[in-house]
Amino acid sequence: ESQELKSLLNNPHLRQMLTNLTKADISSVSSEMEHAMHEPIFTEFADQCLQIVESDKLKLRENTIKMEAVETISN
């Protein structure tokens, strides 16, 4: 859906960071995450993910309000 997110995921440096995070054992996840969060490409990726989630939450909230309005009118 998000072209910007797809574009970010084409970055080999970001992909390597994500691979390192997913393959890290429990004792090193924290240090891997700390390292990643200092990298601009990773923070851009995280921000884009959060923007998508927030957008989806807003759409869900709007749809819920519309459905409640329709139910109220129907009754």
Side-chain angles (χ1 to χ4, degrees):
E1 252 179 57
S2 170
Q3 291 302 323
E4 188 172 340
L5 183 58
K6 287 179 184 178
S7 176
L8 287 168
L9 288 170
N10 283 326
N11 182 299
H13 184 58
L14 175 62
R15 291 171 68 103
Q16 187 60 53
M17 281 190 287
L18 294 172
T19 299
N20 292 346
L21 281 168
T22 58
K23 290 185 176 183
D25 58 49
I26 196 73
S27 63
S28 63
V29 170
S30 181
S31 63
E32 287 287 339
M33 183 60 87
E34 187 174 337
H35 171 74
M37 292 184 70
H38 289 286
E39 296 287 334
I41 189 72
F42 184 82
T43 56
E44 191 176 344
F45 167 74
D47 288 344
Q48 184 63 33
C49 290
L50 289 172
Q51 190 174 19
I52 291 168
V53 169
E54 287 299 317
S55 175
D56 287 349
K57 279 176 46 179
L58 180 61
K59 289 176 187 173
L60 180 60
R61 197 173 309 130
E62 289 172 351
N63 287 339
T64 301
I65 291 169
K66 288 176 185 176
M67 288 175 57
E68 288 172 350
V70 168
E71 288 176 6
T72 301
I73 292 170
S74 297
N75 293 330

